[in-house]
Each structure stands twice: as structure tokens, then as C-alpha cells.
Amino acid sequence: MADANAIDGLIAEVGTDIVKRADEVDFARHTRDFTTTAPEGLELLGAAYPRTTEDVSRVLAYCNAHGIPVQPQGGMTGLAGGGVPQAPCLILSLERMRAIEEVDTAAASITAQAGVPLEMIQNAADDAGFLFPLDLGGRGTAQIAGNASTNAGGNRVLRYGMMRDLVLGVEAVLADGTIISSLNKMLKNNAGYDIKQLFLGTEGTLGVITRLVVRMFPKPLTVCTGLVAVDDYLGVLDLLNRCKAGLGGTLSAFEAMWPEFYHLGTVALDRRPPVEEAYGIYVLVEMMGSDPDNDQERFESVIAGAMDDGVVRDAIISKSAKDTADLWAIRDCPGEFIRAGWWPQIAFDVSIPVGEIGAFITECEARVKARWPGIATMYFGHVADSNLHLSIRHDEGLFDVHELDEEVYATVGKFKGSISAEHGIGTTKRPYLHHSRSEAELALMRRLKAALDPNGTLNPGKVI
Ligand SMILES: Cc1cc2nc3c(=O)[nH]c(=O)nc-3n(C[C@H](O)[C@H](O)[C@H](O)COP(=O)(O)OP(=O)(O)OC[C@H]3O[C@@H](n4cnc5c(N)ncnc54)[C@H](O)[C@@H]3O)c2cc1C
């Protein structure tokens, strides 16, 4: 077991500029993310703040040889505890590696160091006349390698995919210090195994990402937004197919909100509901196009057709940037849950095959309400991506959180869904991974981990 003295040797190897002793480290900053805090009484061994890939390599090689567990950290905006240490370890923070190395407009790519904040990547793409489409609430703090390590999603996955779809190349350092530089810039590259996938969505358990190549896209010239009401989930599926057929690849968001959520995002926050509170489900639809003369008409004709056929019962179409912001404010109300009185809450981020989401909600409601009468639930999500969010108000003494998790995740498993749509496994979902993965899949994950990190140095106690 490594102790604080083990850090002395590391400091002798790489210097005090890179490695700090525990008493020089801002403990609070390195021991919690947005949902999880390190166990009480945890002591850190120290922290490393590398400036280059070679620094990362030297730190990892030393730690691997001397049995020092390493906790990779980005911006600590994660929502699954993946960056939060569980036992004494060395923190490896990528925050000093924040250079954008190249913006290549021919390849439509950006090469950046791991610690560049997401917002800096978005701005660099914008400055070059392009769009970097990943966007999420933690954009100012979350780092691009943190986004890659969690395979982050967000609101525009339907159009542009998740982070896995936005990464062309990766440079990473293995637990033993080996540098794997796979900074590919090409869309097509079938030269053997796609090595970058080992590091995307694996939450720092198989290697530490030090640099990445990400894709840029043409900026959309138009954005059309509407909020529509339908009777039930069959109406949602009908509308989704109409939007896909009528708007094609320009459909960029399709956000469903069930009545409890819609009420919270409007009335409970002193906003007038844009369509009456009288329907089964509300959907925020958005398209991003490139034809300013025709896009709005095309968008409105798809919604009008659905209304004529009785699928859409009521609708409002945005006529200005303010209208659009007001409609999105309803969907973005989770940031205001405290003000709306929906707090504390337990949040679930799951995936269910799109056609089954309605049936899942019916069964989930029946199961949790039969077991805990009086429980308050709310549903919303990026349903076109299969992603459903369930929020349960945490009323004191009503339920045991682990038992509630087990009930919900067992229901997810029954529907062949995923217990993590976009936030990762970290520590919070680790006990439930078996609901979404077979024994053979789990065994393969363990074999991969053992092959790449035989001493279990990297991010111990996470994912698998
Ligand atoms: C307000 C808010 C809104 C959000 N909205 C969304 C959303 O809509 N969609 C979505 O998908 N996510 C969302 N998230 C979560 C999002 O996934 C994370 O915020 C982000 O992707 C993680 O980046 P980070 O730099 O903060 O990583 P951290 O939290 O620091 O780390 C996350 C994981 O990645 C590992 N890691 C970090 N850097 C590296 C590296 N260089 N090499 C290897 N492993 C590394 C860590 O060990 C940890 O396991 C949201 C978070 C917040 C706070």
C-alpha cells in the first residue's frame, strides 16, 4: 500500500512543479464532482499537474512501478462520481494542458490538449466559421478529454451524435507510461483496430487521454423551433416519424416532457404555459437548416400536417430568438428544480428502445408507486436518442435510495435498456451494471482492464 512517502520518489523523478504533496493540494476541489463526494476521512497522497504528454507518461510509469493508485481528473463536472477518489491515491489533473494546437479548416478538425474546456473548443470552431456541436451545462468547466472519457451527449445527439462520433483521433497514455499517439484526422481509417475507442467512454480506467482530434461541422443558417402537444406516447412516435421524414437530417432536437415536468417548467416557475396544460405529452421540436428562404415553411408544414391528421393537438411555433429561448427555458428547467420546490431529487439517466419508452414509463410508475405510495415522479428526455430522464423527489424517509435504484434499474433491464444513457457508470451506477450487461460482456470488460492496467493503478473502483 502506497503512503505519502511514496510521493517523495515521484517528486524526485518529475519535480515539484509537476507534483504537489497532499498538504499543498486544494482538497475540496479534487474530492467531489457534481453528484458525489469522496468518503469521509479520505486522505490524498498528492496531486500531479502535468504540462505535457511526456509528464503524464513519467508520472504514470512511476506510479505503476510503485503501486500508487492514480485518479485522472478533468473539470470535475461529471455526474457519476467517475473522477472522485474512493481511497488514498495521487490525483492526476489535466488542467494545465489547455492549448488548442491546430484548427484545420480543410479536414474540419481541431487538435487540442486534454484540459481545454469545452467552451474554448466551441469558440475556436466558431472563430473559424464552423460549429462544434457538443453542448452541455458544464461547458465552461468540463474539459474536452473529460467529455471524451464520458462519451458525453447533450441536446443535439440526434443530429450530430455523441462525443464518440465527434472524435477522430486520440493520444493517450497507458497505465505503464506507454504513449499511444493515434491522432488520426481522417473520416475513413480501417487500418486495424480502432484504438481510440478504448479511451472513449471508459472514464479513465484504461488510459489517460492527453490530446484529441475532434470534428467541426458547417454552421447552420437557420434554427426553427416549436412546442407541440400530443395525447400519448403513440402520438410522440407518430410525430417523430413525421419529423424525420419531413425534416430529414435537419431535425436537431426532439425533447419530450410529461405533464408533471411541463407543469414544473411553467406554472411552478411563474411562466405562462405556451400551450394549455391539457394534454398527455409535450414535445419541443427543433430543426437546424441551411436554406433561409424555405426552412421555416418546411418546418411549419410538418407540424401543420400532424395537426391536420389529429396527431398534434396544439402547437406554438417560435417567431423570434426570445420565443425560442422561452421554449428552451421550459426544457432546461432542471437547473431550477430547487426554486420550483422539486428538491432534493434522485435523477435517473437511462436509455430505453424508442418504441418502448411509453410502456417502460407505465411499468416503472406501477412498480415504484405500488412499493412506495406517495412517491413523486417526473419524466422527460431526448426520446429520439432513446434517452429518458426520470426524476424522483427525495421525500425524507419515504424510500431507501439503494432499493429505489434497484427497482428502477431492474425495470430498465427488463426492457433491455441501458442504466446509463450519457453520464457514465463511475461509482454511482457500478452496483447496477449487471442490469444492462451480460456476464460475458462484464467478463470481457474485466479482461480489457487486466490487459491494459494489470496492476489496477488507473481510476480504481470505477466502472467495472
Ligand atoms: C450542468 C451540467 C450539465 C450536464 N449535461 C450533460 C448532458 O446534457 N449530457 C451529458 O452527456 N453529460 C452532461 N453532463 C455531464 C458531463 O458528462 C460531464 O460534465 C463531462 O463530460 C465530464 O467532463 P469533465 O472534464 O468535467 O470530467 P470529470 O468529471 O473530471 O471526469 C469524468 C470522468 O472522466 C475521467 N477523465 C477526465 N479526464 C480524463 C482524461 N484526460 N483521461 C482519461 N480520463 C479522464 C475521470 O476519471 C472521470 O472518470 C453535465 C454536467 C453538468 C455539471
Side-chain angles (χ1 to χ4, degrees):
M1 184 69 182
D3 59 23
N5 295 334
I7 299 303
D8 293 341
L10 178 60
I11 289 175
E13 183 100 358
V14 294
T16 51
D17 174 47
I18 305 296
V19 177
K20 308 291 175 195
R21 289 178 213 284
D23 58 5
E24 301 170 277
V25 172
D26 179 346
F27 183 84
R29 189 161 71 84
H30 291 297
T31 51
R32 60 167 181 248
D33 68 4
F34 260 66
T35 51
T36 310
T37 304
E40 208 162 318
L42 174 94
E43 288 182 16
L44 296 178
L45 303 177
Y49 301 94
R51 294 180 188 278
T52 63
T53 302
E54 288 67 31
D55 291 342
V56 174
S57 169
R58 285 156 67 209
V59 168
L60 288 187
Y62 184 92
C63 290
N64 190 50
H66 294 83
I68 302 174
V70 176
Q71 175 61 64
Q73 288 185 348
M76 295 300 271
T77 68
L79 301 174
V84 179
Q86 296 298 310
C89 63
L90 178 84
I91 300 293
L92 178 59
S93 168
L94 280 298
E95 66 196 44
R96 278 176 172 170
M97 294 186 61
R98 45 186 290 138
I100 291 185
E101 297 183 344
E102 185 191 41
V103 178
D104 181 339
T105 54
S109 69
I110 294 180
T111 305
Q113 292 181 343
V116 176
L118 169 59
E119 196 166 37
M120 242 172 96
I121 300 279
Q122 292 172 333
N123 291 341
D126 189 58
D127 291 347
F130 286 83
L131 171 78
F132 182 67
L134 180 75
D135 193 28
L136 44 87
R139 67 185 72 75
T141 315
Q143 298 175 4
I144 193 67
N147 299 145
S149 305
T150 55
N151 186 28
N155 286 342
R156 309 241 150 70
V157 170
L158 174 60
R159 170 95 187 258
Y160 299 100
M162 295 182 73
M163 192 59 185
R164 198 182 289 285
D165 303 291
L166 305 178
V167 176
L168 289 171
V170 160
E171 179 183 81
V173 183
L174 301 184
D176 66 1
T178 306
I179 298 171
I180 306 286
S181 205
S182 193
L183 289 170
N184 166 68
K185 272 192 190 179
M186 300 164 292
L187 211 49
K188 285 190 175 178
N189 183 348
N190 273 350
Y193 298 163
D194 188 358
I195 286 171
K196 67 176 180 292
Q197 301 297 346
L198 290 170
F199 310 106
L200 302 178
T202 50
E203 300 177 56
T205 57
L206 300 183
V208 174
I209 298 175
T210 48
R211 293 196 288 162
L212 301 108
V213 184
V214 295
R215 296 174 70 186
M216 302 187 291
F217 292 81
K219 279 187 198 176
L221 301 180
T222 62
V223 179
C224 308
T225 314
L227 184 94
V228 310
V230 297
D231 281 331
D232 51 23
Y233 194 68
L234 283 178
V236 172
L237 290 176
D238 190 321
L239 178 67
L240 177 58
N241 283 336
R242 285 164 187 267
C243 288
K244 281 181 174 169
L247 305 176
T250 62
L251 178 62
S252 55
F254 191 89
E255 302 289 318
M257 297 169 270
W258 275 256
E260 296 77 9
F261 181 90
Y262 186 65
H263 180 79
L264 201 92
T266 55
V267 176
L269 287 165
D270 301 323
R271 296 186 189 116
R272 199 169 65 80
V275 300
E276 207 189 332
E277 277 193 279
Y279 303 100
I281 304 177
Y282 305 83
V283 186
L284 182 69
V285 185
E286 180 195 79
M287 79 175 258
M288 288 178 155
S290 55
D291 183 356
D293 292 335
N294 298 305
D295 282 346
Q296 186 72 24
E297 194 183 326
R298 186 173 163 207
F299 182 74
E300 289 182 16
S301 78
V302 171
I303 305 290
M307 256 183 133
D308 291 345
D309 293 344
V311 174
V312 165
R313 301 288 309 284
D314 197 357
I316 185 153
I317 305 290
S318 165
K319 297 292 180 206
S320 66
K322 180 177 180 310
D323 286 353
T324 301
D326 289 347
L327 295 182
W328 271 105
I330 301 170
R331 171 59 185 84
D332 288 340
C333 80
E336 299 174 279
F337 275 176
I338 297 181
R339 190 161 78 81
W342 190 270
W343 201 260
Q345 55 127 20
I346 312 278
F348 294 88
D349 160 54
V350 302
S351 270
I352 303 291
V354 178
E356 303 284 317
I357 287 177
F360 168 81
I361 291 179
T362 305
E363 176 149 348
C364 193
E365 278 293 280
R367 282 173 74 152
V368 299
K369 289 195 168 156
R371 190 156 170 197
W372 298 285
I375 198 169
T377 59
M378 215 163 50
Y379 298 85
F380 58 104
H382 323 282
V383 298
D385 316 328
S386 321
N387 186 182
L388 184 71
H389 295 298
L390 157 61
S391 168
I392 296 184
R393 212 178 48 220
H394 195 182
D395 296 323
E396 199 62 45
L398 190 57
F399 52 78
D400 172 87
V401 175
H402 175 69
E403 286 176 9
L404 176 72
D405 282 349
E406 185 58 39
E407 192 73 48
V408 172
Y409 292 134
T411 316
V412 170
K414 187 180 162 197
F415 279 79
K416 301 202 179 338
S418 170
I419 62 159
S420 177
E422 55 181 10
H423 297 163
I425 296 298
T427 49
T428 56
K429 296 193 173 186
R430 196 174 174 225
Y432 313 104
L433 192 51
H434 66 280
H435 286 301
S436 290
R437 295 292 191 182
S438 66
E439 208 26 71
E441 286 176 305
L442 294 172
L444 178 58
M445 288 186 203
R446 285 189 205 102
R447 278 167 69 186
L448 277 171
K449 172 73 177 168
L452 291 175
D453 180 16
N455 299 336
T457 307
L458 275 178
N459 209 356
K462 310 294 167 57
V463 184
I464 184 72

